[in-house]
Amino acid sequence: MTVEKSIILQIALPVPLRRYFDYLPPIDCDIKTLTPGVRVTVPFQRRELIGFFMGLAETTLPLLRLKRALEILDQEPILSADLLQLSLWAADYYHDSIGNVMMNVLPTLLRQGKQPIVGKRSNGLLNGLLKNHLSEENLILNNAQKQAIEAIQMALDRFQVFLLEGVTGSGKTEVYLQVIQSFLNHNQSILVLVPEIGLTPQTIQRFYARFSVPLVLLHSGLTERARLNGWIAAKSGHAKIIIGTRSAIFTPCQNLGLIIIDEEHDLSFKQQEGFRYHARDIAIMRAHFNKIPIILGTATPSLETLHKANINKFQKLCLPMRAGKASLPEFNIIDIRNQTLDQGLSQSLLKEITIHLARNEQVMLFLNRRGFAPVLMCHACGYVAICKRCDKRMTYHHQLERLHCHHCDAQKKVPKQCEACREILHFLGMGTERLEMVLAKYFPAHSIVRIDRDNTKQKGSIEKLLAQIQSGEHQILIGTQMLAKGHHFPNVTLVGIVDMDGGLFSHDFRGLERMAQLLLQVSGRAGRMEKPGKVFIQTHHPDHPLLQQLFSGSYQQFADSLLCERKESGLPPFAYLALFRAEAYQMQHASDFLNQVKNLMQPCASLHILGPIPAPMPRRAGRYRMQLLLQAEERKTLQKLLTDTMPLIEKIKSKSRVRWSLDVDPLEMF
Ligand code: ADP
Ligand code: ZN
């Protein structure tokens, strides 16, 4: 009997299984014309899925056992060659399925099978594509800026990572703008990534005002249609500058010449669910594959990036001074031990606020806790309002008149009296809503604006509030970290940090690094123009090394001492981590699963397996959460172990009882 060979299509599908699936070509399909990366619809487990054609293979299986693909959706690959290469790398590195990764790379409408053509509305003008008619001149550069720009220009058409470390207000944006101009002159396009809340009208305005080339914005506030139109404009080469948040790193760009990551240390570049990637790290790989330079700009580099600069893998460019006439703000610590506070505010801080307001300057108060009060408690019996699904305290929100769980979003009515003993309940602690109320009492003649997630839910509302601040409509600004980052408020001369003590004693080994970054970012809002700025920090721990080092020295000094600690304890960037997470309604299910995963792994001397142990937050939304941490001295060792283990995990039967995930280079342990 002769064995018949037939040609089949290998298809990547957006399912967790890490392999290709075999299908017969659709009827009437000319397989010679198929290129890897075109979309194909196929039947899969009684559903119809869109996947990607990856290549041809031969099979000797009886044809009856194979299903037939339904339809080829594209003539040309939907993913350009460089994005296909990047997806393959990312799937390998993050150990996700290639089909999943490729789907994530596409805008939603393309995931759903729509064609990459511009929508009918918008009078021939591309939606999401904006062209400017103003023209703003280049600023005259200072020496540090000049040197930075020259170094980057030299890296034209060559892979090189630059760390542009510039204190807040040192003119990093001006460096970006002038570097962009010189790459545009070489007819190249430029991709700029900014943090989620960094894409403010102010930032964008500076780009519009400088360039006359078409520019595309990609962020979560866009409609899917606008997002696709932006994607098309970038792919066709019509748009020369593409600015976007995390997922914009996957935008196809014609003749990409430069990538810029602004605020590279920002956590929003890490996707924490589904396909768990770090956009900065993906960007570095993309620059590497495309042989182009990439700039990581920040005042407070992540220790990972700083370490790579220290060992000369990245080239460091410094802007040590504020640009123009501005100088760095003066720091003051208010020791609030034994002081009488009025709802969290010290007399010294209130006095400073009065002085600055009297000079017609703006004052910004930072408190990273939204809501009115984080605890609702009974003084008689000790009852505390707890979320039943998370075992965590619920925050009282005055605006909503409800208790709100910040972990699972559960809400409930505020009990009128203690649910245990019927005594009166008290609100303990301070959130932004309460701060607003206290300040209104002290400064009734001044207008107060609060910026936090509760206050900016509506589309366009943050833009509106920021514009009101710029125009001087409000004199007192209250905010969470939304207000801390990137904004340029020329008239803000006082920044008050109401309470940061919690962050000094975080259980996460990255806690202090984050805290230092946030402190400097917030402080950086003060005194950005001619008027000098002051920063006041209220604390019960005035002698804490973080506060001492930050104010007497620099971020660099502080970061260096953190790096020494990390080295001693074998933590990143001197080690590599991967975290398996599992959650289930029964704790046993989660720990059984992780134990099985652990048993699949070959132990070795340079790799530790820690756990399974309960997550720092052991229960959320009713599910028990466990984790298994892998810690290796070498990235290679860790990657090899994961590559060997992942296919075996797919065979664990009890995995259907848990929700599980793998996070390579986790940034948060929760
Ligand atoms: P960063 O991005 O480092 O926080 P920006 O680029 O926002 O700093 O610059 C801060 C301020 O300094 C802006 O108002 C900017 O116009 C101004 N600036 C930047 N470079 C110069 C320069 N060379 N001369 C004068 N002013 C400058
Ligand atoms: Zn909850």
Side-chain angles (χ1 to χ4, degrees):
M1 195 174 96
T2 54
V3 182
E4 288 266 346
K5 279 192 191 163
S6 38
I7 300 285
I8 49 158
L9 313 183
Q10 293 186 302
I11 307 288
L13 289 177
V15 296
L17 299 174
R18 290 158 180 81
R19 60 180 181 86
Y20 295 151
F21 296 83
D22 296 339
Y23 285 90
L24 296 171
I27 298 167
D28 297 335
C29 167
D30 180 3
I31 51 173
K32 286 194 290 298
T33 63
L34 288 180
T35 346
V38 300
R39 290 173 299 166
V40 185
T41 47
V42 297
F44 185 82
Q45 296 179 350
R46 273 173 267 130
R47 286 178 293 165
E48 206 175 279
L49 283 185
I50 296 176
F52 301 90
F53 166 72
M54 302 302 286
L56 295 171
E58 284 183 340
T59 186
T60 52
L61 276 179
L63 294 189
L64 276 175
R65 305 237 336 241
L66 286 169
K67 287 192 179 149
R68 195 172 280 288
L70 300 171
E71 194 187 352
I72 307 287
L73 295 182
D74 304 305
Q75 308 220 308
E76 287 169 22
I78 196 86
L79 286 184
S80 53
D82 68 329
L83 285 177
L84 185 59
Q85 184 185 22
L86 195 65
S87 306
L88 288 167
W89 173 81
D92 199 49
Y93 184 79
Y94 292 108
H95 300 273
D96 206 328
S97 86
I98 175 68
N100 246 350
V101 173
M102 289 171 74
M103 268 308 164
N104 267 278
V105 165
L106 293 180
T108 308
L109 290 183
L110 297 183
R111 291 179 204 175
Q112 296 167 349
K114 297 270 187 324
Q115 285 301 313
I117 36 180
V118 176
K120 280 200 205 79
R121 280 186 301 151
S122 68
N123 302 330
L125 225 166
L126 285 176
N127 212 345
L129 187 75
L130 298 135
K131 216 174 153 174
N132 135 79
H133 301 286
L134 300 165
S135 73
E136 181 194 278
E137 299 278 306
N138 285 348
L139 295 175
I140 297 168
L141 301 168
N142 60 38
N143 276 337
Q145 287 174 317
K146 233 184 254 166
Q147 281 174 17
I149 291 174
E150 279 164 14
I152 300 162
Q153 283 168 337
M154 300 253 292
L156 183 80
D157 294 327
R158 172 163 70 78
F159 172 60
Q160 170 79 52
V161 186
F162 294 97
L163 164 59
L164 180 64
E165 186 178 4
V167 297
T168 53
S170 59
K172 291 185 289 294
T173 312
E174 186 63 29
V175 169
Y176 302 153
L177 295 174
Q178 297 205 21
V179 168
I180 289 174
Q181 185 58 59
S182 80
F183 281 72
L184 285 175
N185 294 345
H186 289 273
N187 208 16
Q188 294 185 323
S189 62
I190 296 96
L191 180 57
V192 184
L193 291 197
V194 297
E196 229 130 56
I197 51 182
L199 205 55
T200 58
Q202 226 179 340
T203 317
I204 304 317
Q205 193 51 42
R206 292 180 71 179
F207 281 84
Y208 283 152
R210 196 63 70 89
F211 302 109
S212 54
V213 297
L215 200 149
V216 140
L217 292 185
L218 296 167
H219 56 88
S220 53
L222 296 181
T223 63
E224 292 305 340
R225 183 32 84 179
R227 202 169 237 288
L228 178 57
N229 288 350
W231 187 93
I232 294 166
K235 186 167 201 231
S236 67
H238 190 59
K240 300 293 183 218
I241 303 175
I242 296 95
I243 310 179
T245 49
R246 182 174 64 224
S247 65
I249 189 53
F250 298 115
T251 314
C253 303
Q254 285 267 321
N255 212 11
L256 182 63
L258 173 71
I259 304 177
I260 298 173
I261 314 283
D262 190 29
E263 311 289 359
E264 69 84 29
H265 65 279
D266 196 273
L267 218 62
S268 72
F269 290 123
K270 176 80 187 336
Q271 174 134 312
Q272 307 277 23
E273 55 195 28
F275 169 37
R276 290 170 173 75
Y277 64 92
H278 200 304
R280 175 198 61 216
D281 298 341
I282 297 251
I284 292 173
M285 274 326 276
R286 188 165 183 190
H288 175 72
F289 288 141
N290 288 41
K291 300 192 181 60
I292 57 168
I294 171 168
I295 308 173
L296 312 180
T298 173
T300 52
S302 63
L303 295 189
E304 280 77 5
T305 295
L306 206 54
H307 175 62
K308 293 225 178 69
N310 287 345
I311 59 173
N312 291 324
K313 273 192 140 181
F314 297 173
Q315 185 179 339
K316 187 148 130 179
L317 307 167
C318 286
L319 307 180
M321 315 269 269
R322 277 199 162 171
K325 296 204 182 77
S327 54
L328 280 171
E330 170 198 307
F331 284 99
N332 304 273
I333 291 177
I334 304 176
D335 180 356
I336 52 172
R337 288 174 301 184
N338 296 316
Q339 282 204 34
T340 330
L341 303 179
D342 184 4
Q343 312 212 44
L345 293 179
S346 63
Q347 288 307 312
S348 332
L349 186 55
L350 287 166
K351 205 173 98 198
E352 274 310 313
I353 297 174
T354 314
I355 295 172
H356 286 259
L357 290 177
R359 290 204 296 248
N360 279 329
E361 294 162 1
Q362 284 168 312
V363 165
M364 184 174 133
L365 290 161
F366 175 79
L367 180 63
N368 214 9
R369 196 184 300 124
R370 62 201 171 85
F372 186 85
V375 184
L376 178 64
M377 185 178 176
C378 169
H379 200 49
C381 75
Y383 157 93
V384 171
I386 297 273
C387 171
K388 288 198 175 65
R389 307 163 70 209
C390 301
D391 306 325
K392 290 274 180 187
R393 290 163 179 172
M394 295 186 90
T395 302
Y396 171 60
H397 283 251
H398 189 65
Q399 224 172 343
L400 300 167
E401 284 189 64
R402 286 176 97 77
L403 291 170
H404 192 159
C405 173
H406 286 185
H407 304 281
C408 75
D409 262 358
Q411 295 190 13
K412 72 175 214 178
K413 272 214 230 129
V414 188
K416 291 224 164 51
Q417 45 191 201
C418 174
E419 289 177 335
C421 75
R422 309 204 168 274
E423 284 293 323
I424 296 174
L425 289 167
H426 297 268
F427 300 114
L428 298 189
M430 175 99 149
T432 45
E433 281 183 351
R434 190 171 207 166
L435 183 59
E436 184 178 9
M437 203 182 76
V438 187
L439 287 165
K441 185 184 80 180
Y442 277 99
F443 305 100
H446 292 88
S447 169
I448 304 178
V449 65
R450 172 164 61 85
I451 295 204
D452 57 28
R453 214 146 38 89
D454 299 318
N455 229 13
T456 50
K457 277 199 192 110
Q458 254 184 2
K459 216 175 148 192
S461 58
I462 181 143
E463 285 81 357
K464 209 168 92 196
L465 294 176
L466 290 172
Q468 291 170 357
I469 296 175
Q470 294 297 341
S471 70
E473 213 174 310
H474 310 290
Q475 296 84 49
I476 301 177
L477 334 175
I478 296 174
T480 56
Q481 56 179 334
M482 285 189 84
L483 198 56
K485 296 180 183 176
H487 304 294
H488 188 62
F489 303 125
N491 201 33
V492 169
T493 54
L494 173 69
V495 167
I497 293 168
V498 178
D499 176 15
M500 270 200 160
D501 283 355
L504 294 173
F505 305 99
S506 156
H507 52 71
D508 188 328
F509 73 88
R510 285 193 172 87
L512 278 184
E513 174 188 354
R514 299 255 161 74
M515 177 85 176
Q517 288 163 347
L518 192 55
L519 256 175
L520 287 177
Q521 292 290 331
V522 181
S523 310
R525 300 313 109 215
R528 289 173 66 92
M529 294 299 265
E530 283 92 36
K531 297 178 191 165
K534 283 190 177 188
V535 178
F536 282 81
I537 300 182
Q538 300 194 131
T539 179
H540 286 97
H541 308 279
D543 303 320
H544 192 284
L546 166 68
L547 298 177
Q548 287 303 324
Q549 257 171 328
L550 274 183
F551 302 151
S552 60
S554 59
Y555 178 76
Q556 175 77 53
Q557 260 179 28
F558 177 70
D560 281 343
S561 69
L562 281 184
L563 277 172
C564 284
E565 283 175 24
R566 297 270 185 96
K567 190 167 190 174
E568 272 165 28
S569 36
L571 287 167
F574 301 96
Y576 301 90
L577 303 181
L579 189 67
F580 282 98
R581 296 191 179 89
E583 52 178 57
Y585 287 109
Q586 290 182 40
M587 196 192 293
Q588 194 65 36
H589 291 170
S591 66
D592 283 353
F593 170 76
L594 290 179
N595 268 316
Q596 290 185 60
V597 171
K598 188 176 181 174
N599 290 337
L600 295 172
M601 295 180 185
Q602 299 288 335
C604 78
S606 59
L607 190 143
H608 302 288
I609 305 175
L610 306 155
I613 51 162
M617 196 176 156
R619 202 161 79 100
R620 184 160 74 189
R623 287 194 175 85
Y624 291 92
R625 314 164 76 239
M626 303 286 288
Q627 57 187 36
L628 186 69
L629 181 69
L630 311 186
Q631 182 180 15
E633 285 164 31
E634 305 247 357
R635 205 192 282 285
K636 270 197 311 237
T637 327
L638 181 64
Q639 283 292 339
K640 172 153 191 334
L641 183 80
L642 292 173
T643 306
D644 293 345
T645 311
M646 290 308 271
L648 304 175
I649 296 179
E650 281 173 11
K651 301 204 177 86
I652 298 180
K653 291 219 175 60
S654 66
K655 77 175 192 300
S656 58
R657 293 197 303 205
V658 297
R659 273 201 205 168
W660 72 279
S661 63
L662 168 66
D663 195 349
V664 176
D665 304 331
L667 280 186
E668 287 182 304
M669 297 298 163
F670 52 83

